[in-house]
Amino acid sequence: MTEKIFFDDVSLSFGRQELFKNISLELRGGQVIGITGANGSGKSTFLKLAGKILRPDSGKVTLPADKKIAAITPELKVYDGLTATENLTFFAKLRGKTLTASDISDLGARIGLNMKNFGNVRAENFSTGMRQRLKFAILLSVNADIWLLDEPTANLDDDGREKFFTAIDAAKSDKIILLATNDKLEEKICDEIIRLPL
């Protein structure tokens, strides 16, 4: 049975700005669902509602029971004083997982971050693109059931984008993946598009 996230008559406003009014929809797993729209239309907020990070003013969001959520967002920070390996180890332990040296090497290979060269480099010395790769490695390491991706390939070169797209396509069959974007290449990997405002 395909897992789903349900929005049931969901409304949300920030002050006088009404972002969502009486939204009812199903977000089905097994595919990549793109959330698109103009700046300020509520793409990031939609993801936060879907992950129950934000509560709606009215209505209800229902997630599949006992499913783990992981996200890549501009707000997600890696620890500058920790190396890439230490960041991966730390975030995995928060989810009750222990990574072996082989696990860390494999994660680096999947996202194009050579851990032999960069595993012991502090994140403060990483470019924005390398930080984005590290964030994706963290997401992959916890093997979550629901992925919330907010412009996940921002600041990546072509190789980084291709690796992200490959990993997302390989994972989507047994996950719920929501991708907020205005990027045409990111839109192309989506199986369904929800355009805001609704």
Side-chain angles (χ1 to χ4, degrees), residues 119-185:
N120 293 319
V121 176
R122 289 185 179 182
E124 64 188 356
N125 296 310
F126 278 14
S127 68
T128 52
M130 289 174 67
R131 283 172 180 268
Q132 199 71 356
R133 290 179 190 246
L134 180 56
K135 288 180 183 182
F136 199 64
I138 291 167
L139 178 138
L140 292 173
S141 73
V142 300
N143 194 31
D145 308 288
I146 300 170
W147 289 7
L148 306 177
L149 308 178
D150 195 344
E151 298 183 346
T153 67
N155 302 308
L156 288 177
D157 57 21
D158 290 343
D159 173 73
R161 282 180 167 238
E162 188 59 36
K163 284 184 167 56
F164 270 47
F165 295 160
T166 298
I168 291 168
D169 187 64
K172 70 181 182 182
S173 63
D174 63 348
K175 301 185 186 301
I176 299 174
I177 299 180
L178 307 182
L179 194 163
T181 187
N182 275 331
D183 183 283
K184 296 304 181 186
L185 289 178

Coordinates of all heavy atoms in Angstrom, one line a residue, residues 119-185:
G119 N 37.1 14.3 4.3 CA 36.4 13.7 5.5 C 36.9 14.4 6.7 O 36.2 14.5 7.7
N120 N 38.2 14.8 6.8 CA 38.8 15.4 8.0 C 38.9 16.9 7.9 O 39.7 17.5 8.7 CB 40.1 14.7 8.3 CG 39.9 13.2 8.7 OD1 39.0 12.9 9.4 ND2 40.8 12.4 8.2
V121 N 38.2 17.5 6.9 CA 38.3 18.9 6.7 C 37.1 19.5 7.5 O 35.9 19.0 7.3 CB 38.2 19.3 5.3 CG1 38.1 20.8 5.1 CG2 39.4 18.8 4.5
R122 N 37.3 20.5 8.3 CA 36.2 21.2 9.0 C 35.2 21.8 8.0 O 35.6 22.4 7.0 CB 36.7 22.2 9.9 CG 37.4 21.6 11.2 CD 37.8 22.7 12.1 NE 38.4 22.2 13.3 CZ 38.8 22.9 14.3 NH1 38.6 24.2 14.3 NH2 39.4 22.4 15.4
A123 N 33.9 21.8 8.3 CA 32.9 22.3 7.5 C 33.0 23.8 7.2 O 32.6 24.3 6.2 CB 31.5 22.0 8.0
E124 N 33.7 24.5 8.2 CA 33.9 25.9 8.0 C 34.7 26.3 6.8 O 34.7 27.4 6.2 CB 34.5 26.5 9.2 CG 35.9 26.0 9.5 CD 36.4 26.5 10.9 OE1 35.7 27.3 11.5 OE2 37.6 26.1 11.3
N125 N 35.5 25.3 6.3 CA 36.3 25.5 5.1 C 35.6 25.0 3.8 O 36.3 25.0 2.8 CB 37.6 24.7 5.3 CG 38.4 25.3 6.5 OD1 38.6 26.5 6.6 ND2 38.9 24.4 7.4
F126 N 34.4 24.6 3.9 CA 33.7 24.1 2.7 C 33.0 25.2 2.0 O 32.6 26.2 2.6 CB 32.6 23.1 3.2 CG 33.1 21.7 3.4 CD1 34.4 21.4 3.5 CD2 32.2 20.7 3.5 CE1 34.8 20.1 3.8 CE2 32.6 19.4 3.7 CZ 33.9 19.1 3.9
S127 N 33.0 25.1 0.6 CA 32.2 26.0 -0.2 C 30.7 25.7 0.0 O 30.4 24.7 0.6 CB 32.6 25.8 -1.7 OG 32.1 24.5 -2.1
T128 N 29.9 26.6 -0.4 CA 28.4 26.4 -0.3 C 28.0 25.1 -1.0 O 27.1 24.4 -0.5 CB 27.7 27.6 -0.8 OG1 28.1 27.9 -2.2 CG2 27.9 28.9 0.0
G129 N 28.6 24.8 -2.1 CA 28.3 23.6 -2.9 C 28.7 22.4 -2.1 O 27.9 21.4 -2.0
M130 N 29.8 22.4 -1.5 CA 30.3 21.2 -0.7 C 29.4 21.1 0.6 O 29.1 20.0 1.0 CB 31.7 21.4 -0.3 CG 32.7 21.2 -1.5 SD 34.4 21.6 -1.0 CE 34.8 20.3 0.1
R131 N 29.0 22.2 1.2 CA 28.1 22.1 2.3 C 26.7 21.4 1.9 O 26.2 20.6 2.6 CB 27.8 23.5 2.9 CG 28.9 24.1 3.7 CD 28.5 25.6 4.0 NE 29.6 26.1 4.8 CZ 29.6 26.2 6.2 NH1 28.6 25.6 6.8 NH2 30.6 26.7 6.8
Q132 N 26.3 21.8 0.7 CA 25.0 21.2 0.2 C 25.2 19.7 0.0 O 24.3 18.9 0.3 CB 24.6 21.9 -1.1 CG 23.1 21.7 -1.5 CD 22.2 22.5 -0.5 OE1 22.6 23.1 0.4 NE2 20.9 22.4 -0.9
R133 N 26.3 19.3 -0.5 CA 26.6 17.8 -0.7 C 26.6 17.2 0.7 O 26.1 16.1 0.9 CB 27.9 17.6 -1.4 CG 27.9 18.0 -2.9 CD 29.3 17.8 -3.5 NE 29.4 18.3 -4.8 CZ 29.6 17.6 -5.9 NH1 29.6 16.3 -5.9 NH2 29.7 18.2 -7.1
L134 N 27.2 17.8 1.7 CA 27.3 17.2 3.0 C 25.9 17.1 3.6 O 25.6 16.1 4.3 CB 28.2 18.1 3.9 CG 28.4 17.6 5.4 CD1 28.9 16.2 5.4 CD2 29.3 18.6 6.1
K135 N 25.0 18.1 3.4 CA 23.7 18.0 3.9 C 22.9 16.8 3.3 O 22.2 16.1 4.0 CB 22.9 19.3 3.5 CG 23.3 20.5 4.3 CD 22.4 21.7 3.8 CE 22.8 23.0 4.5 NZ 21.9 24.1 4.1
F136 N 23.2 16.6 2.0 CA 22.5 15.5 1.3 C 23.0 14.2 1.9 O 22.3 13.2 2.0 CB 22.7 15.6 -0.2 CG 21.7 14.7 -0.9 CD1 20.3 15.1 -0.9 CD2 22.1 13.7 -1.7 CE1 19.4 14.3 -1.6 CE2 21.1 12.9 -2.4 CZ 19.8 13.2 -2.3
A137 N 24.3 14.1 2.1 CA 24.9 12.9 2.7 C 24.3 12.6 4.1 O 24.0 11.4 4.5 CB 26.4 13.0 2.9
I138 N 24.0 13.7 4.9 CA 23.4 13.5 6.2 C 22.0 12.9 6.0 O 21.6 12.0 6.7 CB 23.4 14.9 6.9 CG1 24.8 15.3 7.4 CG2 22.4 14.8 8.1 CD1 24.9 16.7 7.8
L139 N 21.2 13.5 5.0 CA 19.9 13.0 4.8 C 19.9 11.5 4.4 O 19.1 10.7 4.9 CB 19.2 13.8 3.7 CG 17.8 13.4 3.2 CD1 16.9 14.6 3.0 CD2 17.9 12.6 1.9
L140 N 20.8 11.1 3.5 CA 20.9 9.8 3.1 C 21.3 8.8 4.2 O 20.9 7.7 4.3 CB 21.9 9.6 1.9 CG 21.6 10.3 0.6 CD1 22.8 10.2 -0.3 CD2 20.4 9.6 0.0
S141 N 22.1 9.3 5.1 CA 22.6 8.5 6.2 C 21.5 8.0 7.2 O 21.7 6.9 7.8 CB 23.7 9.2 7.0 OG 23.1 10.2 7.8
V142 N 20.5 8.7 7.3 CA 19.4 8.4 8.3 C 18.3 7.5 7.7 O 17.4 7.0 8.4 CB 18.8 9.6 9.0 CG1 19.9 10.4 9.7 CG2 18.1 10.5 8.0
N143 N 18.3 7.4 6.3 CA 17.4 6.5 5.7 C 15.9 6.8 6.1 O 15.2 5.9 6.5 CB 17.7 5.0 5.9 CG 17.0 4.1 4.9 OD1 16.7 4.5 3.8 ND2 16.6 2.9 5.4
A144 N 15.6 8.1 6.0 CA 14.2 8.5 6.4 C 13.2 8.0 5.4 O 13.5 7.8 4.2 CB 14.2 10.0 6.6
D145 N 11.9 8.0 5.8 CA 10.8 7.6 4.9 C 10.2 8.7 4.2 O 9.6 8.5 3.1 CB 9.7 6.9 5.8 CG 10.3 5.8 6.7 OD1 10.6 4.7 6.2 OD2 10.4 6.0 7.9
I146 N 10.3 9.9 4.7 CA 9.8 11.1 4.1 C 10.9 12.1 3.9 O 11.6 12.5 4.9 CB 8.7 11.7 5.0 CG1 7.5 10.7 5.2 CG2 8.1 13.0 4.4 CD1 6.5 11.1 6.2
W147 N 11.1 12.6 2.7 CA 12.1 13.6 2.4 C 11.4 14.9 2.1 O 10.6 15.0 1.2 CB 13.0 13.2 1.2 CG 13.9 12.0 1.4 CD1 14.0 11.2 2.5 CD2 14.9 11.5 0.5 NE1 14.9 10.3 2.3 CE2 15.5 10.4 1.1 CE3 15.2 11.9 -0.8 CZ2 16.5 9.7 0.5 CZ3 16.2 11.2 -1.4 CH2 16.9 10.1 -0.8
L148 N 11.9 16.0 2.8 CA 11.4 17.3 2.5 C 12.6 18.1 1.9 O 13.6 18.4 2.6 CB 10.9 18.0 3.8 CG 9.8 17.3 4.5 CD1 9.5 18.0 5.8 CD2 8.6 17.0 3.7
L149 N 12.6 18.4 0.6 CA 13.7 19.0 -0.1 C 13.4 20.4 -0.5 O 12.5 20.6 -1.3 CB 14.1 18.1 -1.3 CG 14.3 16.6 -1.0 CD1 14.7 15.9 -2.3 CD2 15.4 16.4 0.0
D150 N 14.1 21.4 0.0 CA 13.8 22.8 -0.3 C 15.0 23.3 -1.2 O 16.1 23.5 -0.7 CB 13.7 23.6 0.9 CG 13.1 25.0 0.7 OD1 13.0 25.4 -0.5 OD2 12.6 25.6 1.6
E151 N 14.8 23.4 -2.5 CA 15.8 23.8 -3.5 C 17.1 23.0 -3.2 O 18.2 23.6 -2.9 CB 16.0 25.3 -3.4 CG 14.8 26.1 -3.8 CD 15.0 27.6 -3.8 OE1 16.0 28.0 -3.3 OE2 14.1 28.3 -4.4
P152 N 17.1 21.7 -3.3 CA 18.2 20.9 -2.8 C 19.5 21.0 -3.6 O 20.5 20.7 -3.1 CB 17.6 19.4 -2.9 CG 16.6 19.5 -3.9 CD 15.9 20.9 -3.7
T153 N 19.4 21.4 -4.9 CA 20.6 21.5 -5.7 C 21.1 22.9 -5.8 O 22.0 23.2 -6.7 CB 20.4 20.8 -7.1 OG1 19.4 21.7 -7.9 CG2 19.8 19.4 -7.0
A154 N 20.6 23.8 -5.0 CA 21.1 25.2 -5.0 C 22.6 25.2 -4.8 O 23.1 24.4 -3.9 CB 20.4 26.0 -4.0
N155 N 23.4 25.9 -5.6 CA 24.8 26.1 -5.4 C 25.6 24.9 -5.8 O 26.8 24.9 -5.6 CB 25.2 26.5 -4.0 CG 24.5 27.8 -3.5 OD1 24.6 28.8 -4.2 ND2 23.8 27.7 -2.4
L156 N 25.0 23.9 -6.5 CA 25.7 22.8 -6.9 C 26.2 22.9 -8.4 O 25.5 23.5 -9.2 CB 24.9 21.5 -6.8 CG 24.6 21.0 -5.4 CD1 23.7 19.8 -5.4 CD2 25.9 20.6 -4.7
D157 N 27.3 22.3 -8.7 CA 27.7 22.2 -10.1 C 27.0 21.1 -10.8 O 26.1 20.4 -10.2 CB 29.2 22.0 -10.2 CG 29.7 20.8 -9.5 OD1 28.9 19.8 -9.2 OD2 30.9 20.7 -9.1
D158 N 27.2 20.9 -12.1 CA 26.5 19.9 -12.9 C 26.7 18.5 -12.3 O 25.7 17.7 -12.3 CB 26.9 19.9 -14.4 CG 26.5 21.2 -15.1 OD1 25.6 21.9 -14.5 OD2 27.1 21.5 -16.1
D159 N 27.9 18.2 -11.9 CA 28.1 16.8 -11.3 C 27.3 16.6 -10.1 O 26.7 15.6 -9.9 CB 29.6 16.7 -11.0 CG 29.9 15.4 -10.3 OD1 29.8 14.3 -10.9 OD2 30.2 15.4 -9.1
G160 N 27.3 17.6 -9.2 CA 26.5 17.5 -8.0 C 25.0 17.4 -8.2 O 24.4 16.6 -7.6
R161 N 24.5 18.1 -9.2 CA 23.1 18.0 -9.5 C 22.8 16.6 -10.0 O 21.8 16.0 -9.6 CB 22.7 19.0 -10.6 CG 22.5 20.4 -10.1 CD 22.2 21.4 -11.2 NE 21.7 22.6 -10.7 CZ 20.5 23.2 -10.9 NH1 19.7 22.6 -11.7 NH2 20.2 24.3 -10.3
E162 N 23.6 16.1 -10.9 CA 23.4 14.8 -11.5 C 23.4 13.7 -10.4 O 22.5 12.8 -10.4 CB 24.4 14.4 -12.5 CG 24.2 13.2 -13.3 CD 22.8 13.2 -14.1 OE1 22.5 14.3 -14.6 OE2 22.2 12.2 -14.1
K163 N 24.3 13.8 -9.4 CA 24.3 12.8 -8.3 C 23.1 13.0 -7.4 O 22.5 11.9 -7.0 CB 25.6 13.0 -7.5 CG 26.8 12.5 -8.2 CD 28.1 12.5 -7.4 CE 29.2 11.7 -8.0 NZ 29.6 12.0 -9.3
F164 N 22.7 14.2 -7.2 CA 21.4 14.4 -6.4 C 20.2 13.7 -7.1 O 19.4 13.0 -6.5 CB 21.2 15.9 -6.2 CG 21.8 16.4 -4.9 CD1 23.1 16.1 -4.6 CD2 21.0 17.2 -4.1 CE1 23.7 16.7 -3.5 CE2 21.6 17.8 -3.0 CZ 22.9 17.5 -2.6
F165 N 20.1 14.0 -8.4 CA 19.0 13.5 -9.2 C 19.0 12.0 -9.2 O 17.9 11.4 -9.1 CB 19.0 14.1 -10.6 CG 18.8 15.6 -10.7 CD1 19.2 16.3 -11.8 CD2 18.2 16.3 -9.6 CE1 19.0 17.7 -11.9 CE2 18.0 17.7 -9.7 CZ 18.4 18.4 -10.8
T166 N 20.1 11.4 -9.4 CA 20.3 10.0 -9.4 C 19.8 9.4 -8.1 O 19.1 8.4 -8.0 CB 21.7 9.5 -9.7 OG1 22.0 10.0 -11.0 CG2 21.9 8.0 -9.7
A167 N 20.3 10.0 -7.0 CA 20.0 9.4 -5.6 C 18.5 9.6 -5.3 O 17.9 8.7 -4.8 CB 20.8 10.1 -4.6
I168 N 17.9 10.7 -5.8 CA 16.5 10.9 -5.5 C 15.6 9.9 -6.3 O 14.7 9.3 -5.8 CB 16.1 12.4 -5.9 CG1 16.7 13.4 -4.9 CG2 14.6 12.6 -5.9 CD1 16.6 14.8 -5.3
D169 N 16.0 9.7 -7.6 CA 15.3 8.8 -8.4 C 15.4 7.4 -7.9 O 14.4 6.6 -7.9 CB 15.8 8.8 -9.9 CG 15.0 8.0 -10.8 OD1 13.8 8.4 -11.0 OD2 15.5 7.0 -11.4
A170 N 16.5 7.0 -7.4 CA 16.7 5.6 -6.8 C 15.9 5.4 -5.5 O 15.5 4.3 -5.2 CB 18.2 5.4 -6.6
A171 N 15.7 6.5 -4.8 CA 15.0 6.4 -3.5 C 13.5 6.5 -3.5 O 12.8 6.0 -2.6 CB 15.6 7.5 -2.5
K172 N 13.0 7.1 -4.6 CA 11.6 7.5 -4.5 C 10.6 6.4 -4.5 O 9.4 6.6 -4.0 CB 11.2 8.4 -5.7 CG 11.2 7.6 -7.1 CD 10.9 8.6 -8.2 CE 10.8 7.9 -9.5 NZ 10.5 8.8 -10.7
S173 N 10.9 5.1 -4.9 CA 9.9 4.1 -4.9 C 9.3 3.7 -3.6 O 8.2 3.3 -3.5 CB 10.6 2.8 -5.5 OG 11.6 2.3 -4.7
D174 N 10.1 3.9 -2.5 CA 9.5 3.5 -1.2 C 9.5 4.7 -0.2 O 9.6 4.5 1.0 CB 10.3 2.4 -0.6 CG 11.8 2.7 -0.3 OD1 12.3 3.8 -0.8 OD2 12.5 1.9 0.3
K175 N 9.5 5.9 -0.7 CA 9.5 7.1 0.1 C 8.4 8.1 -0.4 O 7.9 8.0 -1.5 CB 10.9 7.8 0.1 CG 12.0 6.9 0.6 CD 13.3 7.6 0.7 CE 14.4 6.7 1.0 NZ 14.2 6.0 2.3
I176 N 8.1 9.1 0.5 CA 7.4 10.2 0.1 C 8.4 11.4 0.0 O 9.1 11.7 0.9 CB 6.3 10.6 1.2 CG1 5.3 9.5 1.3 CG2 5.6 11.9 0.8 CD1 4.3 9.7 2.5
I177 N 8.5 11.9 -1.2 CA 9.5 13.0 -1.5 C 8.8 14.2 -2.0 O 8.2 14.2 -3.0 CB 10.6 12.5 -2.5 CG1 11.3 11.2 -2.0 CG2 11.6 13.6 -2.8 CD1 12.4 10.7 -2.9
L178 N 9.0 15.3 -1.2 CA 8.4 16.6 -1.6 C 9.6 17.5 -1.9 O 10.5 17.6 -1.1 CB 7.6 17.2 -0.5 CG 6.4 16.3 0.1 CD1 5.7 17.1 1.1 CD2 5.5 15.8 -1.1
L179 N 9.5 18.2 -3.1 CA 10.6 19.0 -3.5 C 10.1 20.4 -3.9 O 9.4 20.6 -4.8 CB 11.3 18.4 -4.7 CG 12.7 18.9 -5.2 CD1 13.3 17.8 -6.1 CD2 12.6 20.2 -5.9
A180 N 10.5 21.4 -3.0 CA 10.1 22.8 -3.3 C 11.1 23.4 -4.2 O 12.3 23.4 -3.9 CB 10.0 23.6 -2.0
T181 N 10.7 24.0 -5.3 CA 11.6 24.5 -6.3 C 11.0 25.5 -7.3 O 9.8 25.5 -7.5 CB 12.3 23.4 -7.1 OG1 13.3 23.9 -7.9 CG2 11.2 22.7 -8.0
N182 N 11.9 26.4 -7.8 CA 11.6 27.1 -9.0 C 12.6 26.9 -10.1 O 12.6 27.6 -11.1 CB 11.6 28.6 -8.7 CG 10.2 29.1 -8.1 OD1 9.2 28.5 -8.4 ND2 10.3 30.1 -7.3
D183 N 13.4 25.8 -9.9 CA 14.4 25.5 -10.8 C 13.9 24.5 -11.9 O 13.3 23.4 -11.5 CB 15.6 24.8 -10.0 CG 16.8 24.5 -10.9 OD1 16.7 23.5 -11.6 OD2 17.8 25.2 -10.9
K184 N 14.1 24.8 -13.1 CA 13.5 24.0 -14.2 C 14.1 22.6 -14.3 O 13.4 21.6 -14.6 CB 13.7 24.7 -15.6 CG 12.9 26.0 -15.7 CD 11.5 25.9 -15.4 CE 10.7 27.2 -15.6 NZ 9.3 27.1 -15.2
L185 N 15.4 22.4 -14.0 CA 16.0 21.1 -13.9 C 15.4 20.3 -12.8 O 15.2 19.1 -13.0 CB 17.5 21.2 -13.9 CG 18.2 21.7 -15.1 CD1 19.7 21.9 -14.9 CD2 17.9 20.9 -16.3

